[in-house]
Amino acid sequence: MSEELQALSAADAAAAIAKGDLGRGELFEHYRARAASDELNAFTWVAESMPDSVDGPLGGVPIAVKDLFCTEGIPSQAGSKILAGYCPPYTATAVANLEAAGAPILGKTNQDEFAMGSSNENSAYGPVQNPWDRSRVPGGSSGGSAAAVAAGLAPWALGTDTGGSIRQPAALCGIVGLKPTYGAVSRYGMIAFASSLDSAGPLTRNVTDAALFYRHLVGRDSADATSVSFPEPIALPTSERLDGITLAVPAALVDGDGIEAGVRDSFEAALESARGLGATVVSCEIPSAPYALSAYYVIAPAEASSNLARFDGVRYGLRVDATNLDAMYTETRHDGFGDEVKRRILIGTYALSSGYYDAYYGRAQRVRTVVASELSAIFQTADFIVTPTSPTVAFGLGERTADPLAMYLSDLFTIPMSLAGTPAISIPSGLSDGLPVGLQICGPAFSENRILGAAHALERAIGFDGSSAWSAL
Amino acid sequence: MAGHELEPVIGLEIHVQLRTATKMFCGCALGFGEPPNTRTCPVCLGLPGALPVANAEAIHYGLMIGMALDSELAPVSTFHRKNYFYPDLPKGYQISQFDLPLCSGGKLGKVNIHRVHLEEDAAKLNHAGASGRIEGADSSIVDFNRGGTPLAEIVTEPELRSAEQVGEWLRLLRTTLRTLGVSDVNMEEGSLRCDANISLRPTGSDQLGTKTELKNMNSFRFIERGIRAEVERQRALIEEGESVTQETLHFDPKTESITSLRSKEEAHDYRYFPEPDLPPVVITEAMLARAAAELPELPAAREQRYIDELSLSPESARLFAWRAELADYFDAVRASEASLEPQQAANWVTELQGRLGDQEAVDSNVTAASLAKLASMVASATINQGGAKQVLDQLVEHGGEPEAIVAAEGLEAVGGADELAPIVAEALDANPELTERLRGGDMKPIGVIVGEVMKQTRGRADGKEVTALVRQQLGLS
Amino acid sequence: MIDRDELLHVARLARLALRDDELDSTAAELSTILDHIATFDELDLGGVEPTAHVGDVDDSLRTDEVRASLPRDVALAPAPAVRDDGFLVPSPQGE
Ligand SMILES: [Mg+2]
Ligand SMILES: [Zn+2]
């Protein structure tokens, strides 16, 4: 029974529960036990029991929630020592929406501190291991969420994506990750990294699960002034063909130096599958893409430097005692934040400071305008832009920690869409030397239904099987 | 610079707490002296993950202020973050406005307005003394009830020239804001707070000298005294050939002393940037229409109406219009006795206010109806000016009805030939020498005779009538 | 490029203590990153407007309706130090 349970996708499990073939408690307990014996360090907290009322269309299929989300009475530490043991008095809207749809919280998942990182090594609660190869990183910052789903410790998980933090770990762990249109999912209660870029989305085993999860995630929230109502219901994808669909490949970007041969091969194979389904593949240019990375590494740290000012030892979290206020501030923040967070706070503070604003922040915002208009121009003639999600497969733990810049380059393909606020999905395109490779499909704002449809068709054609990672418990 | 006449150049920054039901960016009710930290939520405590949402009513009030000050209203207005650390600032930044304030320019009275923007108030920091936990260290306690209260910050151009002018103009501003109904504008409770930027320059120069900022003065008297003291301090420095240092200052009204607020000279770098959590606010036609529709008659318009429609003297018109409570009281007096000549009513209201000092007429013992009655008794000569002033003294002291006081004190006017003629005749008989001089055409002694009659009537006679009777009895025309 | 003095100034603005032995390595790291960022100087951005927010929001304002505040004990519960129903901090005027 346990293996049968494990083999059920979240959507299948929800259907089985609805039919009465499967008990909610049974499913919850199955995953609870697996999460509780997690050896990947994917979880930072696991529920003791299922909550009493779990009615709703998600039928009781439990969710793993990135620790960046506030959950009332449950530790919400954002991967940071400065929030060690912090239990908020309220629950994030995204989580509350899922709970209201009948998805109880299974546990909270590990992450890079305040979502700053691409390897999950910047966590005060230790690195997460990749279930495909435990000497490698799961990607980040939603590394715990991705590893938990890939290893079958959770049916699905909630993550966040600021510059690629859902898509890149999904790619490195061989699962599906959807970064929504900016504003489609409420950010209320999601601990802010970079407010103008942050978005919450699903990490799931397959595209159908992503659509089902996403359906209950979207919605205008009056507590988030930047949230918008999604213009149409989220459909469960049924497409099996890509006839009449044009896929645009940013050639200069994809043929660049940093991309691994195995990744390129897998990408080419995926394009071949797409052609086989009837798609037309064309080449396109995003000339600003290399500069998008620069813009991102100004805008995100600048917003973060301000967003993280609230961690000052006054109202919650860590305080280092001192006899004067300034020493209390500076020592609390010195001890409470990890190196990468401090690095970004310093860069962001510098970029906003008097005399540098125009050269950095002002310029980055203009690059952002250019990136968005270049993407929008491509979508005039192409349905989707496709790229590999990450230039490399999962790299070794510790391999890139000494070189922050090399780490930043992992986000080369995901950052333009973050700057433009447009949606993108990563689905597995195959394996390279036994490690998963991700394919990124990007569309214009609010094209999630079409993206999910195309991803569904490709997913079927590619036929990726991730079940071998489940044994890594 | 010695040898030149120096003139003060003063600009004001006024923070006005808006009278909305809830805070600027969250649904907490505004705090009014509740127990500490009972009006907070994740947003105004700056909890991780919480987000601000701007209060539509605060924007509405901001638009009304802009209209009242004749400002240009932004079609799109944005919020910025002003970043700095302080325990009363829970997020490490204040949400304020920077390059696209809600209102730009404008004018009130003779003073030009630079801008009006919206922002959130800081929390309250109370001194706690030595903490006990850390040996010997001083502590503060933060109460977040006030944190997040909506503020309109009104910035004037540096056009004021004296402490007195500042005091007078602030009263006009306060009246305007109170009339708008957007704020309690109570300085003692901190709902109106004023900072003044002060510098001196040679009279007639268009250069600006080094300015100092006098912070957070919370009464009209302190503001005037503080500015006067700072102007004198700067004048003394300049006249001794020293220079003024740009700094933030505090005026202690008890000792009249001025001290620097920041001993450590720290470069301020607020790192303003657009608040990513708040989309730009688009000011719609509907928002403008609603603000315009709710705009009441403002002091300047009321002043003009008093002159045009009631023929009040310009002095009376301004005195009342710039003090809305007094104007309302004046209107009530007129309403109570429709036959009263407006200027007469105005004179009696002014007479009353002169006796009340800082107290508002409406809060005094003298009801508008009783003042109106008193004025109309004078108008109908039931009582003369002198008697009426005695009645007014009593009303101010104890309240009551003017008629009853007149009756009790026997203050009815003595008038008409029947009553007055014998008294006049008596006074002439008693002063034969003076009477002779009067008959001879020397009118100087007439005052003594009139004074005698007034004495006899205990001031209840009308001086003019007495004079007329004297002349009549002496056959002088 | 960022030198020691600039780094100290920025760290001061950000209220981050930096140990002496962290200064040079941090300045070097930040300089590498800032130099890479500066490659965007190659782009001609003449006439390009800055983007601060993506997406259009119809109505982002809130009606002025009171919502329940947190009970005080809940608000104070996560505070590192509390006294007299408030958040206790070292005095800003302290030594
Ligand atoms: Mg201000
Ligand atoms: Zn609040």
Side-chain angles (χ1 to χ4, degrees):
Chain A
M1 187 60 202
S2 173
E3 272 169 36
E4 280 169 43
L5 262 186
Q6 185 62 33
L8 288 175
S9 71
D12 289 343
I17 290 169
K19 268 203 280 174
D21 295 347
L22 176 60
R24 286 171 186 154
E26 195 185 347
L27 183 73
F28 190 92
E29 188 46 38
H30 169 80
Y31 279 107
R32 203 204 67 77
R34 285 180 69 83
S37 48
D38 156 38
E39 291 175 5
L40 304 172
N41 199 27
F43 283 89
T44 51
W45 178 88
V46 176
E48 307 242 304
S49 60
M50 189 172 75
D52 293 338
S53 69
V54 283
D55 284 340
L58 294 181
V61 180
I63 48 168
V65 175
K66 188 179 186 178
D67 212 19
L68 202 64
F69 291 91
C70 287
T71 42
E72 186 177 346
I74 294 172
S76 305
Q77 309 169 122
S80 184
K81 181 180 168 190
I82 213 162
L83 280 177
Y86 173 66
C87 292
Y90 75 108
T91 294
T93 303
V95 178
N97 285 350
L98 293 167
E99 286 184 302
I105 299 174
L106 173 67
K108 299 294 287 288
T109 53
N110 206 340
Q111 58 165 101
D112 284 302
E113 184 177 5
F114 291 111
M116 298 180 193
S118 307
S119 69
N120 214 117
E121 292 164 295
N122 303 328
S123 169
Y125 304 94
V128 177
Q129 297 167 3
N130 190 315
W132 293 84
D133 176 345
R134 293 172 61 171
S135 71
R136 291 175 189 264
V137 304
S141 65
S142 308
S145 291
V149 174
L153 309 181
W156 47 16
L158 179 61
T160 70
D161 190 312
T162 302
S165 281
I166 286 174
R167 291 163 285 167
Q168 185 257 17
L172 270 49
C173 287
I175 59 168
V176 171
L178 174 68
K179 174 218 134 28
T181 302
Y182 181 82
V185 179
S186 168
R187 291 183 297 115
Y188 188 73
M190 186 177 133
I191 299 174
F193 163 17
S195 312
S196 77
L197 298 158
D198 291 343
S199 43
L203 292 114
T204 58
R205 244 187 239 177
N206 64 37
V207 175
T208 302
D209 283 1
L212 180 60
F213 192 103
Y214 190 54
R215 175 188 283 177
H216 298 289
L217 202 53
V218 294
R220 157 108 179 114
D221 177 12
S222 59
D224 175 359
T226 62
S227 91
V228 290
S229 51
F230 206 86
E232 60 192 16
I234 301 300
L236 296 190
T238 53
S239 308
E240 295 179 11
R241 297 283 303 168
L242 294 175
D243 298 307
I245 298 289
T246 303
L247 305 179
V249 178
L253 202 58
V254 168
D255 296 339
D257 290 340
I259 186 163
E260 285 177 357
V263 170
R264 187 175 288 129
D265 290 348
S266 180
F267 179 63
E268 292 298 341
L271 292 181
E272 208 40 55
S273 301
R275 287 189 195 97
L277 295 174
T280 307
V281 178
V282 299
S283 170
C284 70
E285 298 297 332
I286 313 175
S288 65
Y291 308 111
L293 195 71
S294 291
Y296 176 83
Y297 277 98
V298 171
I299 292 171
E303 292 182 6
S305 71
S306 177
N307 282 331
L308 269 53
R310 68 186 61 197
F311 300 99
D312 60 2
V314 175
R315 284 143 292 120
Y316 42 80
L318 180 77
R319 170 187 293 188
V320 175
D321 281 326
T323 52
N324 79 64
L325 180 69
D326 265 336
M328 190 280 276
Y329 280 154
T330 57
E331 294 301 322
T332 295
R333 291 164 62 79
H334 177 275
D335 286 10
F337 292 138
D339 288 344
E340 180 62 22
V341 170
K342 283 190 258 198
R343 203 175 285 135
R344 296 203 198 183
I345 289 174
L346 291 169
I347 289 182
T349 306
Y350 179 81
L352 289 174
S353 68
S354 165
Y356 295 104
Y357 182 95
D358 291 338
Y360 289 96
Y361 195 74
R363 199 164 178 84
Q365 285 191 315
R366 290 180 161 80
V367 174
R368 188 172 191 177
T369 307
V370 174
V371 172
S373 70
E374 285 177 6
L375 293 188
S376 143
I378 294 169
F379 293 132
Q380 297 300 308
T381 54
D383 294 283
F384 305 108
I385 296 170
V386 290
T387 72
T389 307
S390 162
T392 69
V393 293
F395 44 91
L397 282 159
E399 205 175 279
R400 293 189 187 175
T401 43
D403 186 355
L405 200 55
M407 190 75 89
Y408 295 175
L409 290 168
S410 347
D411 299 330
L412 189 64
F413 296 137
T414 50
I415 275 176
M417 298 76 205
S418 296
L419 289 176
T422 50
I425 201 168
S426 178
I427 62 169
S429 61
L431 295 175
S432 165
D433 286 337
L435 293 168
V437 177
L439 170 73
Q440 180 179 226
I441 307 170
C442 323
F446 303 108
S447 65
E448 277 89 327
N449 275 327
R450 293 196 293 113
I451 288 176
L452 288 161
H456 180 261
L458 270 167
E459 175 184 60
R460 290 177 59 95
I462 291 167
F464 181 82
D465 178 7
S467 63
S468 62
W470 296 346
S471 57
L473 196 145
Chain B
M1 272 202 218
H4 288 91
E5 284 286 315
L6 293 171
E7 70 172 0
V9 177
I10 304 164
L12 303 176
E13 285 174 22
I14 302 107
H15 287 91
V16 183
Q17 285 185 348
L18 299 179
R19 202 168 64 180
T20 49
T22 67
K23 294 186 178 182
M24 185 68 219
F25 297 113
C26 67
C28 288
L30 298 191
F32 292 100
E34 287 74 18
N37 292 301
T38 52
R39 294 271 166 102
T40 74
C41 71
V43 178
C44 59
L45 281 176
L47 295 193
L51 297 172
V53 183
N55 185 341
E57 199 66 3
I59 308 266
H60 171 64
Y61 284 172
L63 292 174
M64 286 177 70
I65 292 172
M67 287 178 175
L69 301 183
D70 231 346
S71 297
E72 194 174 311
L73 305 177
V76 177
S77 190
T78 60
F79 287 102
H80 270 60
R81 292 187 184 177
K82 179 181 182 180
N83 295 281
Y84 65 96
F85 284 84
Y86 212 67
D88 63 9
L89 194 67
K91 302 184 293 296
Y93 54 85
Q94 180 195 33
I95 305 177
S96 183
Q97 297 198 276
F98 187 58
D99 54 359
L100 291 173
L102 194 61
C103 321
S104 302
K107 193 168 194 169
L108 180 68
K110 288 200 170 64
V111 176
N112 284 300
I113 304 294
H114 178 59
R115 60 186 272 158
V116 182
H117 70 248
L118 298 177
E119 60 185 30
E120 53 181 343
D121 206 348
K124 222 172 133 193
L125 207 56
N126 298 303
H127 191 68
S131 79
R133 219 160 47 87
I134 303 161
E135 205 54 45
D138 263 10
S139 297
S140 299
I141 295 169
V142 201
D143 169 12
F144 286 96
N145 284 357
R146 191 185 71 185
T149 299
L151 295 179
E153 180 174 329
I154 300 168
V155 183
T156 74
E157 295 293 352
E159 294 180 344
L160 292 119
R161 292 289 174 264
S162 70
E164 295 70 26
Q165 195 197 352
V166 167
E168 189 191 15
W169 187 81
L170 279 176
R171 284 186 176 83
L172 170 63
L173 177 69
R174 186 178 64 163
T175 296
T176 304
L177 295 169
R178 181 168 293 168
T179 307
L180 287 173
V182 299
S183 172
D184 294 332
V185 286
N186 185 323
M187 294 200 84
E188 282 67 37
E189 288 166 16
S191 54
L192 181 80
R193 307 194 293 268
C194 182
D195 305 338
N197 292 302
I198 302 165
S199 63
L200 294 184
R201 68 178 176 197
T203 304
S205 162
D206 51 11
Q207 302 280 305
L208 290 174
T210 305
K211 67 178 181 184
T212 57
E213 190 178 11
L214 208 50
K215 272 281 183 203
N216 253 330
M217 293 170 290
N218 64 353
S219 89
F220 287 116
R221 264 184 310 141
F222 293 168
I223 288 169
E224 291 187 39
R225 279 162 56 195
I227 290 175
R228 219 169 280 135
E230 175 55 12
V231 164
E232 285 322 308
R233 191 188 70 89
Q234 288 190 19
R235 194 188 299 277
L237 279 176
I238 293 169
E239 281 170 358
E240 281 165 29
E242 293 177 43
S243 56
V244 175
T245 313
Q246 181 158 356
E247 59 189 335
T248 305
L249 303 169
H250 170 74
F251 172 70
D252 183 345
K254 282 196 205 99
T255 60
E256 300 265 333
S257 66
I258 287 175
T259 47
S260 182
L261 269 182
R262 290 189 182 91
S263 44
K264 273 181 279 182
E265 212 31 70
E266 186 182 325
H268 278 284
D269 187 345
Y270 292 125
R271 288 158 285 137
Y272 279 99
F273 74 102
E275 164 59 290
D277 289 330
L278 294 169
V281 180
V282 178
I283 306 302
T284 62
E285 286 301 319
M287 288 160 85
L288 292 173
R290 185 183 156 216
E294 291 182 15
L295 219 55
E297 183 188 43
L298 294 168
R302 197 171 197 176
E303 182 180 340
Q304 202 53 50
R305 177 168 61 83
Y306 281 167
I307 294 170
D308 294 347
E309 293 178 15
L310 304 182
S311 305
L312 286 198
S313 71
E315 295 74 31
S316 297
R318 167 161 294 203
L319 173 69
F320 296 167
W322 287 28
R323 291 180 65 161
E325 298 92 338
L326 198 56
D328 290 344
Y329 185 86
F330 165 69
D331 287 347
V333 169
R334 287 185 46 248
S336 176
E337 293 283 342
S339 60
L340 262 183
E341 188 71 24
Q343 186 62 51
Q344 278 180 350
N347 293 345
W348 281 104
V349 171
T350 309
E351 181 76 30
L352 169 64
Q353 190 62 58
R355 287 156 203 248
L356 294 176
D358 282 344
Q359 193 187 25
E360 291 297 339
V362 69
D363 300 327
S364 75
N365 288 329
V366 189
T367 63
S370 58
L371 190 71
K373 188 76 213 164
L374 184 61
S376 66
M377 284 166 80
V378 175
S380 64
T382 312
I383 180 170
N384 70 9
Q385 290 279 342
K389 285 178 183 173
Q390 290 178 51
V391 174
L392 187 58
D393 288 338
Q394 297 243 13
L395 286 171
V396 168
E397 198 68 26
H398 311 292
E401 295 302 322
E403 283 150 310
I405 295 169
V406 166
E409 305 278 320
L411 290 170
E412 297 92 343
V414 178
D418 288 356
E419 256 186 291
L420 265 184
I423 302 170
V424 169
E426 210 173 295
L428 290 171
D429 285 350
N431 295 283
E433 228 176 279
L434 299 181
T435 305
E436 266 324 293
R437 281 171 59 188
L438 285 168
R439 280 215 175 87
D442 175 7
M443 294 310 288
K444 271 182 211 143
I446 195 162
V448 180
I449 301 298
V450 172
E452 188 64 27
V453 174
M454 293 309 252
K455 204 165 136 197
Q456 291 302 315
T457 59
R458 288 183 294 122
R460 293 177 296 148
D462 179 65
K464 272 189 209 146
E465 194 181 1
V466 175
T467 306
L469 280 169
V470 170
R471 299 179 82 101
Q472 188 195 334
Q473 293 193 9
L474 296 178
L476 290 174
S477 73
Chain C
M1 264 303 291
I2 180 164
D3 61 30
R4 263 177 95 110
D5 285 348
E6 281 179 310
L7 177 59
L8 283 170
H9 172 66
V10 169
R12 166 82 199 134
L13 288 176
R15 295 297 186 277
L16 272 178
L18 277 178
R19 308 286 179 243
D20 281 347
D21 63 356
E22 294 169 331
L23 278 175
D24 290 330
S25 57
T26 307
E29 256 171 18
L30 298 191
S31 294
T32 307
I33 296 165
L34 289 169
D35 286 349
H36 185 268
I37 286 170
T39 55
F40 69 10
D41 291 348
E42 295 163 9
L43 264 183
D44 178 11
L45 296 171
V48 177
E49 289 296 315
T51 296
H53 302 86
V54 290
D56 288 323
V57 180
D58 322 328
D59 180 20
S60 63
L61 302 178
R62 179 175 60 81
T63 51
D64 188 23
E65 280 162 14
V66 174
R67 301 188 58 168
S69 292
L70 290 171
R72 181 166 61 206
D73 55 336
V74 173
L76 293 174
V82 166
R83 193 199 291 174
D84 296 343
D85 302 322
F87 297 84
L88 188 68
V89 290
S91 170
Q93 278 79 40
E95 286 306 300

